[in-house]
Each structure stands twice: as C-alpha cells, then as structure tokens.
C-alpha cells in the first residue's frame, strides 16, 4: 500500500504498443491519465493524495494503432487493478476507563480519550459493548471497523462503447470481441 503524499508507479504490460488511458475510479471517475506503451510496457506515476482515499480502482486501456502491421484491425487491451492506500494513520488510539465488572442493565458512564487526535479536533465515537462470555462461546472475534470501512468496494462504473463494432479499414470486416481466457466459448465443454 502507498502512503498519502507518495507517488505510486502503475506498471502496464500490454500485448501491443500504442496509446492508452488510465482511469482512476471509485464510485465515480476521479482522474483520466494518458500514457503510451512502448516495447509492451508503460509506467504511469500517480500522486497519492486525499482524492485517492483508502484506494482506487485502476482501469487501463491500450489501443493498437490502425497503422500497426503486426495484426490486422482495431484492437484494444483492458485491465483492472486496485491501488491500495495505507490507512494506519486514520486508526484512532482510544483509551477508556471501565470497571472490571458490569452487570446487566447497569448504566456505564465513561470517558473516552483519543491519544492521536489533534488538540481541538472533533472526534466522533460510536461505542458498543459485547459480552466477552458470548464471544468466548461462539469463538467470534470482534470485527475491525477499519477492515470494513476501508476495504475495496465493487467498481461502480462500467464501460459501454461500440469499439468492438469498428470496421477494419484494410478489409472492411467488423471487429471481433474476444475475452482473455483460454476457454472456447462456442464449445459445449465436452
């Protein structure tokens, strides 16, 4: 993972040379960066700033130029990855004074101190209590909220275009859309 303020270097390996674009996205498109693939590789620097949050999806698309002589027709290669950000600085160091025992229905008044909060900074805390005996019986470990709130989310954007319907300028044939797997989609599997 990358620290806030650092520069991530995204390496793109493509099956052909050509222009490309890198899209950084979470629930929306955050940035679009152009790049050029040479000798099958490109490296794109990305400043990890507050817009990156806990991480972003990185979508790379490389286009084979129409002038390419190694293979006929329009083509593109696409890939997606996750750019993780170190969120350890966002973890609050909480200290709380509690009695050794608390009875059911007993009111608990406590003070919560946040050791790593800046003086005057507003901090909001949600406090919940779970019976240690219940956790011991079920073998359940309390979840870490950071694991939930800062986990990668499903990519919320989609690609819709007519690129696969482009005509090959040399032959007039309609472009073919293929997937990256080795599975023959037209076979019956037998």
């Amino acid at each position: 993972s990358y620290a806030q303020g650092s520069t991530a270097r995204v390496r793109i390996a493509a099956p052909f040379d050509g222009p490309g674009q890198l899209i950084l996205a979470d629930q929306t498109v955050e940035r679009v960066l152009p790049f050029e693939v040479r000798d099958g590789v490109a490296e794109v620097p990305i400043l990890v700033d507050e817009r990156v949050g806990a991480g972003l999806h990185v979508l790379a698309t490389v286009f084979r130029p129409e002038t390419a002589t190694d293979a006929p027709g329009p083509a593109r290669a696409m890939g997606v990855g996750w750019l993780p950000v170190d969120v350890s600085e966002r973890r609050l160091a909480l200290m709380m004074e509690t009695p050794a025992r608390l009875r059911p229905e007993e009111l608990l008044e406590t003070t919560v101190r946040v050791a790593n909060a800046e003086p005057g900074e507003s901090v909001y805390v949600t406090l919940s209590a779970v019976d240690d005996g219940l956790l011991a019986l079920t073998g359940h470990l309390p979840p870490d909220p950071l694991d939930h709130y800062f986990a990668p989310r499903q990519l919320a954007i989609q690609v819709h275009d007519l690129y696969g319907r482009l005509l090959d300028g040399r032959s007039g044939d309609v472009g073919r859309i293929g997937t990256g797997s080795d599975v023959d989609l037209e076979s019956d599997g037998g």
Side-chain angles (χ1 to χ4, degrees):
S1 61
Y2 297 92
Q4 287 284 341
S6 68
T7 299
R9 300 209 172 276
V10 175
R11 184 178 187 277
I12 299 144
F16 44 78
D17 292 350
Q21 67 178 10
L22 196 68
I23 298 174
L24 304 177
D26 53 15
Q27 301 303 307
T28 60
V29 173
E30 295 294 327
R31 287 182 244 177
V32 178
L33 305 169
F35 64 89
E36 187 76 29
V37 173
R38 290 190 180 90
D39 298 323
V41 178
E43 190 173 280
V44 181
I46 299 171
L47 175 63
V48 180
D49 58 16
E50 66 278 350
R51 293 180 294 173
V52 177
L56 286 174
H57 292 278
V58 178
L59 294 88
T61 305
V62 179
F63 302 95
R64 181 174 53 211
E66 187 177 332
T67 57
T69 58
D70 55 341
R76 70 175 167 190
M78 301 178 82
V80 64
W82 177 252
L83 178 70
V85 174
D86 180 10
V87 293
S88 61
E89 290 183 3
R90 297 184 188 183
R91 183 177 296 275
L92 299 177
L94 300 177
M95 294 173 287
M96 187 169 73
E97 297 170 9
T98 59
R101 265 202 136 124
L102 188 63
R103 298 277 179 213
E105 305 296 323
E106 186 178 342
L107 181 64
L108 169 66
E109 289 188 22
T110 186
T111 301
V112 177
R113 290 186 182 84
V114 183
N116 58 343
E118 296 293 325
E121 180 181 10
S122 295
V123 176
Y124 299 90
V125 176
T126 300
L127 182 63
S128 62
V130 177
D131 185 342
D132 283 338
L134 181 61
L135 291 176
L137 284 173
T138 62
H140 180 74
L141 296 175
D144 183 347
L146 282 186
D147 289 345
H148 171 76
Y149 289 111
F150 295 132
R153 300 288 185 241
Q154 181 176 350
L155 183 59
I157 64 169
Q158 297 177 350
V159 176
H160 293 283
D161 64 19
L162 298 174
Y163 194 85
R165 304 293 298 167
L166 290 177
L167 297 176
D168 179 355
R170 292 170 278 213
S171 67
D173 294 332
V174 175
R176 289 183 21 215
I177 297 176
T179 61
S181 72
D182 293 331
V183 177
D184 182 2
L185 296 178
E186 295 185 22
S187 73
D188 60 4

